[in-house]
Amino acid sequence: MDLGRGLVSIFDTVGAFLRQEHTAGRVMILPYPGGLDPTGLYSVVVSGSGGRQLARFDQSFRPVDTISVPQDPVERNYFTLVSDRGSRMSTAVPFQGSLRWRLSPAGTVWALLTDRYELTETTASGEVLRRVANERKAVPVTGEEVDRAVEDLAWFTEQGGTVNRSKIPDARPPVATFFVDDEPLPRTSLGCSSRFGPES
C-alpha cells in the first residue's frame, strides 16, 4: 500500500506483480490499520466530513461498504508548524494519551484509550458490544526521557517547528498500544503492549 498516493499493489501467490489499484485512501497512519481481512475484503482508511472511515473493497476492487471507525473523545495536544503558504504540519505532544483502534478478524472494531486503559469492541455499524477498563496509575516521565523525546522530534524542528517542553506531560499512560490475534470471536484474545516498565 502506497499511503501517499493511495495505490495498492497486487501480487500473486509466488510474489509476481499483477497490477495496481487506485483508492481514495491517502491517510498516513503507522502502523496501518487497513489491509486484507479473513473474508478477502480489502480495507482502506479514508477521510471524509464525518472523520476517518474504513472503505472496504472486494477482490476485484469494487467498493462493498464503509465502516465508521472510533473517534477520540479527548482533544489531544499537538505541536504545529504553519508555513508562509498556509500549509500545516503537526506532530502529537509526546507522552499524552491517544486512541488506538484495530479491525478484528470477526469484522468488529476494537479501540483502546491509552490514558484510560479502556478497551471497547463495536460492530461495523457502531453498536457497542463490550467495554473493559483496567485501573492503572500513570507512569512518571523522567527528564532524560523528555530529552530523548525532544531529540526524536528533530525532523520537526529542523523544518522550522517549535517544541514547547512545558506542554510535555510529567506522566504518561500505563499502556501504549494493543493487538488483536488471528482467531475470530469468541476466541479472540487481546494483548496490550507498553514500553513503560513495571506499571505496564
Side-chain angles (χ1 to χ4, degrees):
M1 177 70 179
D2 185 333
L3 300 181
R5 296 191 295 164
L7 281 175
V8 176
S9 297
I10 300 172
F11 300 82
D12 65 16
T13 55
V14 296
F17 174 78
L18 298 177
R19 68 185 193 278
Q20 285 186 321
E21 296 284 352
H22 285 271
T23 74
R26 295 186 180 183
V27 179
M28 299 295 291
I29 306 176
L30 296 174
Y32 192 68
L36 285 170
D37 68 19
T39 67
L41 295 180
Y42 193 90
S43 299
V44 175
V45 182
V46 296
S47 287
S49 57
R52 287 176 177 168
Q53 295 180 311
L54 274 182
R56 298 198 294 181
F57 299 82
D58 65 17
Q59 293 186 11
S60 297
F61 258 77
R62 292 185 295 261
V64 176
D65 60 12
T66 303
I67 298 175
S68 295
V69 298
Q71 304 298 314
D72 196 336
V74 181
E75 185 175 349
R76 306 297 179 180
N77 296 316
Y78 293 84
F79 298 132
T80 301
L81 171 64
V82 181
S83 72
D84 295 337
R85 298 181 179 181
S87 62
R88 298 170 63 91
M89 179 173 58
S90 298
T91 183
V93 172
F95 304 122
Q96 64 178 329
S98 62
L99 173 75
R100 307 286 184 176
W101 60 269
R102 302 284 184 270
L103 188 64
S104 81
T108 60
V109 179
W110 282 93
L112 169 70
L113 284 169
T114 62
D115 44 353
R116 300 180 186 177
Y117 210 153
E118 180 182 277
L119 281 163
T120 303
E121 182 187 20
T122 60
T123 64
S125 61
E127 177 188 357
V128 175
L129 298 177
R130 70 183 90 185
R131 179 173 287 118
V132 181
N134 190 345
E135 293 186 10
R136 293 288 182 98
K137 294 180 180 179
V139 181
V141 175
T142 67
E144 290 79 7
E145 288 169 325
V146 173
D147 291 340
R148 285 197 297 270
V150 172
E151 290 174 3
D152 289 341
L153 291 174
W155 65 268
F156 180 72
T157 56
E158 288 171 357
Q159 298 181 71
T162 300
V163 173
N164 185 344
R165 294 175 66 105
S166 68
K167 291 188 176 181
I168 299 177
D170 56 9
R172 56 189 167 192
V175 64
T177 189
F178 74 107
F179 61 89
V180 182
D181 72 17
D182 295 331
E183 294 292 339
L185 292 177
R187 293 190 297 162
T188 295
S189 63
L190 290 166
C192 287
S193 171
S194 175
R195 303 179 298 275
F196 304 153
E199 282 295 334
S200 65

